[in-house]
Amino acid sequence: MENRRSAIVRVSSIIAGSLFVMALGAAQAQADQIKLGFIGPLSGGNAQQGLGARNGFLLAIEEANANGYPHEVEGVVLDDASDPAVGVSAAQKLVNDPAVIAATGHWNSPVALATIPIFNRSQMPFIVWGAVSPKITEQNFPNVTRVTPTLVNENKPLAEAIIKEGKVKKIAIISDTTDYGVANTKWFGDFFKEAGGEIVASDAAAVGTTDFRAMLTTAKAAGPDAIYFGGVVTEAALVRSQMADLGMSSLPMYGISGIYDPKFLEIAGAAAEGTIVGTPAVQTNPKLEEFYKAYEAKGYTEPAGSYAKYAYDAAQILLEVIKEKGIEDKEALSAAIRAIKHDGILGEVSFDEDGQTTMPVEIDTYVARDGKWEKM
């Protein structure tokens, strides 16, 4: 009887020990699994930008998982639909998930301006991959950085290039009423005037406006040599199309990277012809070339566009600091991002005291010709 009891005790101990080992293994596996968040426009008129960026983000994670990264990383991808309210909901979802260590997000500046206070309150490291309003980093939230240049960096060389070419001296501005549009109006106007040009008219309309004819008629009466549009894709295409309706197609229309998108060409159709954009130039390097090869090899249905490379490097930076600092102290991660010198596909990325990339900016100019963006 005693032997039977001893045997039962031994079996129970073995079972308990096995269960403990299994539980410990499960806990360890859980500890080795982390999430990184991505937010961008995956639906609506700006989806092309967000989808390419999403693919760049996921490619960085896939490569890390395939190359012995110390954590199994899951990418949590959420749509902001270019809508601040939708973006806020997505940000809340990320910060409420304890497995999400850090995030990157947003193409639209109004959406970024709505969500960064949420990420700041939770002290979640957050890298902006696309939105370009100066206000985003001027607030100097310690957990927020940005890998893209600002619209200030884009507007200055564009304004100077227009004046240098010598064909355009007077410009009428039409923008949207968001922070992005207001900032474009200010900075392009300031730089154009500093370079020797004249702003002969300025107007703005809410995002979602479909009829710009009254504004364009007013602008036309002011006798401009060109139109500058300071909003984003859909409204830009409508403005260009309605310029043709009003007999203004001989005037060039200018803009920055916010309108540099295949969707603009699709919506504007034949009226797109002659539109000129300035977008940040990234010097080619072996890492960037390898990125494009890897992107193409994945067979994504969406083109990389202008922003896949930024989202890829943003994810790479997050992965690098997590590998170095661990996952327990989010403030330490944010501090490490601010101090980083990341040798990535964009070149060496570092940040100033406000979290803005310090990479120098040159622009490439493209003109719409025969349904394509052609480098000038």
Side-chain angles (χ1 to χ4, degrees), residues 115-351:
T115 67
I116 57 175
I118 295 167
F119 290 109
N120 181 59
R121 283 195 293 273
S122 71
Q123 285 304 297
M124 179 176 285
F126 186 71
I127 300 178
V128 176
W129 58 258
V132 295
S133 169
K135 288 185 178 180
I136 292 167
T137 46
E138 283 173 359
Q139 298 177 70
N140 195 15
F141 289 135
N143 64 304
V144 175
T145 48
R146 172 166 46 195
V147 292
T148 46
T150 73
L151 58 81
V152 177
N153 303 114
E154 295 183 42
N155 276 304
K156 189 175 193 295
L158 177 63
E160 291 172 348
I162 293 170
I163 291 295
K164 186 176 180 180
E165 187 181 17
K167 296 179 182 178
V168 174
K169 293 293 184 181
K170 298 185 290 183
I171 277 184
I173 296 176
I174 297 177
S175 293
D176 64 40
T177 55
T178 66
D179 286 308
Y180 175 74
V182 170
N184 274 326
T185 297
K186 170 183 166 45
W187 290 108
F188 178 82
D190 287 353
F191 292 135
F192 191 70
K193 287 183 286 188
E194 285 174 13
E198 180 185 357
I199 304 300
V200 295
S202 182
D203 213 335
V207 171
T209 297
T210 58
D211 190 347
F212 294 88
R213 290 175 180 85
M215 290 184 185
L216 287 168
T217 299
T218 300
K220 183 179 181 181
D225 302 316
I227 301 291
Y228 168 90
F229 186 75
V232 292
V233 178
T234 300
E235 289 78 17
L238 292 173
V239 166
R240 189 59 177 163
S241 179
Q242 289 164 25
M243 284 175 66
D245 295 342
L246 295 171
M248 301 171 67
S249 55
S250 63
L251 297 181
M253 185 172 91
Y254 291 92
I256 57 170
S257 59
I259 71 171
Y260 178 56
D261 190 287
K263 198 73 177 175
F264 170 86
L265 303 173
E266 178 186 326
I267 297 171
E273 194 79 3
T275 303
I276 297 169
V277 297
T279 187
V282 178
Q283 298 300 319
T284 187
N285 61 69
K287 289 186 177 182
L288 184 60
E289 291 170 6
E290 286 301 313
F291 164 75
Y292 283 126
K293 288 178 184 176
Y295 190 99
E296 185 177 352
K298 290 296 295 180
Y300 295 119
T301 57
E302 305 85 12
S306 301
Y307 291 94
K309 58 184 176 285
Y310 290 110
Y312 179 91
D313 251 11
Q316 288 255 300
I317 290 168
L318 295 177
L319 290 163
E320 183 177 331
V321 297
I322 289 169
K323 184 177 182 179
E324 178 187 348
K325 298 292 183 181
I327 62 175
E328 300 301 325
D329 189 340
K330 290 182 178 178
E331 292 185 26
L333 290 175
S334 294
I337 292 170
R338 282 288 177 98
I340 203 167
K341 292 186 184 300
H342 173 72
D343 185 15
I345 63 172
L346 299 173
E348 185 177 87
V349 178
S350 59
F351 302 101

Side-chain angles (χ1 to χ4, degrees), residues 28-53:
Q28 183 64 42
Q30 187 67 29
D32 286 340
Q33 295 171 348
I34 64 170
K35 298 177 182 178
L36 294 182
F38 171 95
I39 313 179
L42 307 179
S43 60
N46 302 320
Q48 196 71 25
Q49 305 285 15
L51 291 167

Side-chain angles (χ1 to χ4, degrees), residues 66-91:
N67 289 288
Y69 193 73
H71 304 278
E72 184 67 27
V73 187
E74 176 187 345
V76 180
V77 173
L78 300 174
D79 184 13
D80 65 28
S82 296
D83 184 326
V86 178
V88 165
S89 178

